[in-house]
Amino acid sequence: MPLPLYLLALAVFAMGTSEFMLAGLLPDIAAELDVTVGTSGLLTSAFAAGMVVGAPLMAGLARGRSGRTGLLAFVVLFLAAHVVGAVTTSFPVLLATRVVAALANAGFLAVALTTAAVLVPAERKGRALAVLLSGTTVATIAGVPGGALLGALFGWRAAFWAVALLCLPAALGIVRGVPASPAHKDGAAGPALRDELARLGSTRLLLVMLLGALVNAATFGSFTFLAPLVTGTTGLGGLWLPVVLVLFGAGSFAGVTVAGRLADRRPGLVLAAGGPLLVLGWPVLAVLAARPLAVLVLVFLLGALSFAVGATLITRVLYEAAGAPTLAGAFATAALNTGAALGPLVAASALGTAAGDRGPLWASGLLVAVATVVALACRTALATDNRVLS
């Protein structure tokens, strides 16, 4: 894999850390800015919504520019949003910076996905995506616990400053490592924006985006509410929570790495094996949630399966959107973050049921089951030509 891919992954690491670190910072933010914890939760919702809307919008704005120019602009904008967020004393201003950061993140990821596909041979898109998404998985292993630790030791603003500082080497790496070349390998002008948007009329593309969103919703639905499960039903102390998060992150890194080697040539193998295991895995974790050892093992395994299946589906989005070279990454980003936005909402509603802390796990199992039913019902359409499930 070319060096620029790893430089892009560094920026994805910084952005992934920012996206997830608020889970451990919201109480302190609420206390200092004089809002309720529930109101501070809008910071997470605003970021997720900005990611969904920002992917196609920002990718469209970056059309006609070199990948390096667009990537650098988005990183600088992301950095600036965190500097403002770190110094503001106003909750509305902080909320606005989260929207701006999400737009920058979405634009960066959309362009980075497209750039990654251009930097490697066509048949290695899956491996390139795995390298890029490893930035997100490493963020769950090191960045998120690190942000929580900084917040605990020096206040929540320190975590914002840390993310801003991480953007500096990422920006330098983009300037030095990403070629200042056209978005297309042959340097030819790409299709018109209308023609790229017309790709959304493809049944296969829409189906794969739906499947990716459902699997990702299941992943982030349960991930968001691991804390009450671990400290409540499982009965582990608060100090065990970072351990559980690291195990989930380590599993996700393993899953992305393995899937990256199979997503191009054998996507059907990953989906046929991983999908049913996820359908069973989330309910099994719910049933065994009171057993600490089982939780520690299953969290790692479910992290691996979730990201293996999810990354493979997002890779298929890139393949299906091959006729939209500028917006392919935006379509993949929108699918990814639609799940990230809706999953926690579904999981939160499950918390209020008789299942309690185990509710999000049952909800995740249901979401993957729905994805499996859709995949089986539409197998013929999905398998046509591009062998999405073969």
Side-chain angles (χ1 to χ4, degrees), residues 54-65 74 107 110-111 193 196 326-327 330:
L57 176 63
M58 304 305 278
L61 291 175
R63 280 175 58 88
R65 298 176 176 82
F74 289 132
V111 176
L193 179 60
E196 294 203 44
T326 309
L327 295 182

Side-chain angles (χ1 to χ4, degrees), residues 166-215:
L166 279 174
C167 291
L168 294 177
L172 180 61
I174 290 168
V175 172
R176 299 291 298 272
V178 176
S181 58
H184 310 287
K185 287 183 176 181
D186 57 6
L193 179 60
R194 178 182 300 177
D195 294 333
E196 294 203 44
L197 290 173
R199 286 298 300 162
L200 288 174
S202 165
T203 300
R204 287 196 304 274
L205 174 58
L206 292 176
L207 283 172
V208 178
M209 289 176 67
L210 173 62
L211 295 177
L214 286 169
V215 171

